[in-house]
Amino acid sequence: MHLAIEQVAKSFGSVVALDNVSLGVDTGEFVCLLGPSGCGKTTLLRIIAGLLTMDSGRLTLAGRDLTQVPARLRGFGIVFQSYSLFPNMSVAANIGYGLKLRGTPTADIAKRVNDLLALIKLPQIADRYPWELSGGQQQRVALARAIAADPALLLLDEPLSALDAKVRAELREEIRDLQRRLGIPTVMVTHDQEEALTLADRIVCMSRGRIEQAGTPADLYARPTTRFVADFMGVSNLIEPSRLSALLPQLMQDYPGGDQLLCLRPEHLAVRPGTLGKVMSTTFLGNITRLKLDTPLGMLVAELPGQADFAPGDGIDIAPDPARGAWVAA
Amino acid sequence: MTAVSAVAPRVTPLARERADRIFDLACLWIPAAALLLFFVYPIGMMGYRSLLLPDGSLGFGNFSQIIGSRSFLRALVNSLTMGLATTAVTVALGLLLAFALHRCRLWLRIVLLGAISLPVIAPSLVQGLGLIFLLGRNGLINKTFGLQVEIYGFWGLLIANSLYALPQAAMIIGAALRNADARLFEAAEVMGATGWRRFIDLTLPNIRFGLLSATFVVFTVTITDFGNAAVIGGDYTVLAIEIYNQVIGQMNLNLGAVVGMLLLLPTVLAFYFERLATQRQFGTQSEAAVPYRPGHDPWRDGIIGTLAWLVALAPVTVVGVVVYASFMRLWPYRLDFTLRHYDIKLAGGYDPLWISIGISAAAAGFGTIFLLFLGVALKRLGGPAARAIYFVSMLPAAVPGLVLGLAYVFAFNQPGTPLILLYGSAALLAMCNFYHYHTQGFATMTTGLRQIPPALEEAATCIGASAWAVLRDVYIPYTLPTLISVFFFLFMSSMVTLSAVIFLVTPNLMLAAVTVMRLDEGGYTAQAAAFSTAIMLVVTAALLLARGTLWLAQRRIRLSAEA
Ligand SMILES: Nc1ncnc2c1ncn2[C@@H]1O[C@H](COP(=O)(O)OP(=O)(O)O)[C@@H](O)[C@H]1O
Ligand SMILES: [Mg+2]
């Protein structure tokens, strides 16, 4: 384990921001902290960076205890949501600042800055000032600045959420390529599940200061373990076991017992004409069609590829694959 | 707004519309005409007089003649030396204080703020007076330790001027420091920058306009200040004193006009840099900026905090000793409590204090109404005329009080014009005070008016309210806190100012701050201290009244918002 976070707790007055969180980041791994606003993601990131002290817990980097190490000696890189470039410095000076602080010779700094500018595909802007750049460009420079001094860990706090949709998608790709290429272990905070799904090796889904579930994007999507994760990672149909055992007993095979719900993703419902329920509405979304179904199991959402042959009022049956369902804690 | 009224039913008859228009125009042109008469015209007259040669032609002869004069040159060199020295000291200390207030975690921060703002409530010669009580020939220090420290002259004036200008420097630099984005500092910290490097690489470069602006303001305040130079300057003659002696003593008006024009130079520059500073402050580029909150740092807070408290001790001591000495039987020999210095029979007793209160109240009342009208009219009317008036309204800040007072002499002490009727009147003093502080009041007023939701005004107009009703029911209630702030700002500034009115007072129409100077000149220092204390008492009472009414007004707005 490269970075290890053990039992970290933090409160602001009576607000518990982090409730005994434990987490590891492997060498070269991209970890996304995902969760709704106010769940403690930024707090955790700032504790890792050393910008905030924790109330209790332990933080180690490659076995070395970081608790007493101030932020400036941790050797990390950070990018914030707002463009936090130094307004009084040119792009080159911004990127080279960390190296300058380390006493790197000027010629080496200039070379490194040029390499980084090429890496972020903005080779011409070394002498410009932050206010002369667009939001997307500023964020790329911020990224170059964060990785300039070969950080032991890269920290990103919602780096894309201030950008408009198109730039965001572009930069998302680039962040991923860059991270994979350089192999810098990275922790990124986001509240956007799509961002987390596309970027992360591992997603850590948080809610109210706790880790709900951690795993690969595929894991979290296909096998959520709590109702919160099922809801947060895309659309889900949550069905009570009491209704299932009467209508679709084959889905009860893996029922672990207790207060659990079956989570079925809309694309796994396998809708066909029948008598179980009926279609309430259809919405054509281009590559898929979304159906709202009224069934004795409750209101369900189904997604069929392309344009589906159903109209509101049609009778339907569903035949979900039991292997696709996941039992989640209610 | 036009789109709304185009579709709304026309409840406003044509006559009403015309009345509204006349009302708007009156709101604009009455204050604008006053601005022309009491600000633009006097400055213009002074410029004209500086160029008018004895043979009636125009030219730069006066300038070359005066610049060649020995006494002028000496005063000029003294003033420049004093200006530079005071600026260096004050900007450095102002940076220290502003940094302590905005970038450190201090114990009793608000008390520190109060301590360094203390000179604002006192007439400008109180610093000089206090220094004399402490360090003068018959001062506490010399008598206690048997020393012969000579405070009159360069050093005394340097300390007094620095104390006087310090609150302004700390305020301007503080405004630049306050707008910092916390993320910049965090980014630098994670990149490995120590606190000291962050200060050098981020803080200083980003407040450079604030520092520049403070430099010019302090320089200007110093070379145009009158009170301290008169009290503690001794033989170290500066321009302000030289002008006063030449104009009032020897009626050498040409010299006054020329020096007045020359003194406009640094202030126009200062004014320019101040505007630049407010436009280009730290972090203005990002709306998502997170305000900087200083973290826990015992070394920084300990060292900076201690230094700041030591600096703040100076104004407290100097002002405090004036108050203290005013109650002592014979300073510094017999320190028993007495009220006898408050029994002032000389120079009209307390009449000047009452006249000052009356004139200040008139300046504040009139000024607030004019500024409200002007602000509302500029908000409702557009066009080149309105923009020009806006620009002129911002200019008085570039004219030092001393120059404005001089300019009034040229404009109103003109036998053969009807304006001579105003000369020597209380009304002229009130107008002079108002236009001296016009810019600051105007800026506060326009900021306050900008906060009124536009929808409110449109809604009121659409349901058929006349312009006057909108003013009464929308503008006045919503800007009540602003009106209160502007009124008390004008009142308090008028109470303590000396440099403009010194040229306009007459033996029958004496003002409080001038009386303090006369008492001191006459050797009645204890009475001067008592009179200063009385002024500070009035200003403090006004300050408390302002706080109280502001609190009430804001509570009313809060309650009505909740209801
Ligand atoms: N400096 C602070 N002072 C007080 N409360 C804070 C502070 N920072 C964060 N909080 C609280 O801690 C909780 C977690 O905040 P944060 O970590 O910023 O959430 P997220 O980044 O997931 O949106 C929130 O309830 C927030 O209000
Ligand atoms: Mg956050």
Side-chain angles (χ1 to χ4, degrees), chain A residues 147-215:
Chain A
I147 60 178
D150 291 319
L153 185 69
L154 180 61
L155 303 170
L156 311 170
D157 190 356
E158 311 222 8
L160 303 174
S161 42
L163 306 174
D164 59 45
K166 191 161 165 292
V167 184
R168 193 186 314 175
E170 266 172 39
L171 199 53
R172 193 158 73 191
E173 298 280 305
E174 272 176 47
I175 289 182
R176 195 179 54 180
D177 289 352
L178 213 64
Q179 195 272 340
R180 300 277 136 94
R181 189 130 49 98
L182 303 174
I184 306 173
T186 301
V187 179
M188 173 165 130
V189 161
T190 178
H191 62 256
D192 179 341
Q193 50 107 3
E194 199 184 315
E195 215 166 276
L197 285 174
T198 46
L199 282 171
D201 294 320
R202 202 145 52 90
I203 296 178
V204 175
C205 191
M206 296 178 63
S207 154
R208 282 177 286 152
R210 293 163 183 269
I211 294 181
E212 286 276 326
Q213 190 179 352

Side-chain angles (χ1 to χ4, degrees), chain A residues 107-169:
Chain A
D108 295 358
I109 296 180
K111 184 171 178 313
R112 178 84 175 128
V113 168
N114 275 332
D115 292 349
L116 285 164
L117 284 171
L119 202 63
I120 59 168
K121 304 193 178 87
L122 291 170
Q124 307 298 335
I125 62 162
D127 296 325
R128 296 222 218 137
Y129 278 83
W131 75 81
E132 300 172 298
L133 305 179
S134 71
Q137 289 174 326
Q138 290 195 42
Q139 229 30 355
R140 272 170 218 227
V141 174
L143 196 62
R145 184 178 72 176
I147 60 178
D150 291 319
L153 185 69
L154 180 61
L155 303 170
L156 311 170
D157 190 356
E158 311 222 8
L160 303 174
S161 42
L163 306 174
D164 59 45
K166 191 161 165 292
V167 184
R168 193 186 314 175

Side-chain angles (χ1 to χ4, degrees), chain B residues 89-90 92-101 106-120 127 131 134 159 162-167 170 303-321:
Chain B
V89 171
T90 310
L93 294 182
L95 178 60
L96 172 76
L97 291 177
F99 193 87
L101 286 170
L106 290 191
W107 211 56
L108 296 176
R109 179 180 174 277
I110 198 82
V111 180
L112 182 69
L113 189 64
I116 62 175
S117 314
L118 205 54
V120 174
Q127 290 79 25
L131 281 176
L134 281 173
I159 301 174
S162 300
L163 289 178
Y164 179 59
L166 196 53
I303 294 172
I304 307 274
T306 310
L307 289 176
W309 275 107
L310 284 177
V311 173
L313 217 54
V316 175
T317 315
V318 167
V319 174
V321 82

Side-chain angles (χ1 to χ4, degrees), chain B residues 247-266:
Chain B
V247 172
I248 298 298
Q250 305 178 16
M251 288 312 276
N252 187 348
L253 291 179
N254 285 349
L255 178 119
V258 169
V259 179
M261 291 312 285
L262 291 177
L263 282 179
L264 277 181
L265 274 182

Side-chain angles (χ1 to χ4, degrees), chain B residues 311-371:
Chain B
V311 173
L313 217 54
V316 175
T317 315
V318 167
V319 174
V321 82
V322 171
V323 177
Y324 183 65
S326 75
F327 293 110
M328 293 300 115
R329 189 163 294 278
L330 185 60
W331 184 266
Y333 305 99
R334 294 181 55 197
L335 301 181
D336 359 302
F337 181 82
T338 174
L339 283 175
R340 69 175 189 155
H341 305 309
Y342 283 82
D343 185 21
I344 295 168
K345 296 267 173 25
L346 301 141
Y350 282 105
D351 288 353
L353 185 62
W354 295 113
I355 295 176
S356 265
I357 293 175
I359 284 177
S360 302
F366 241 108
T368 309
I369 294 171
F370 270 33
L371 287 172

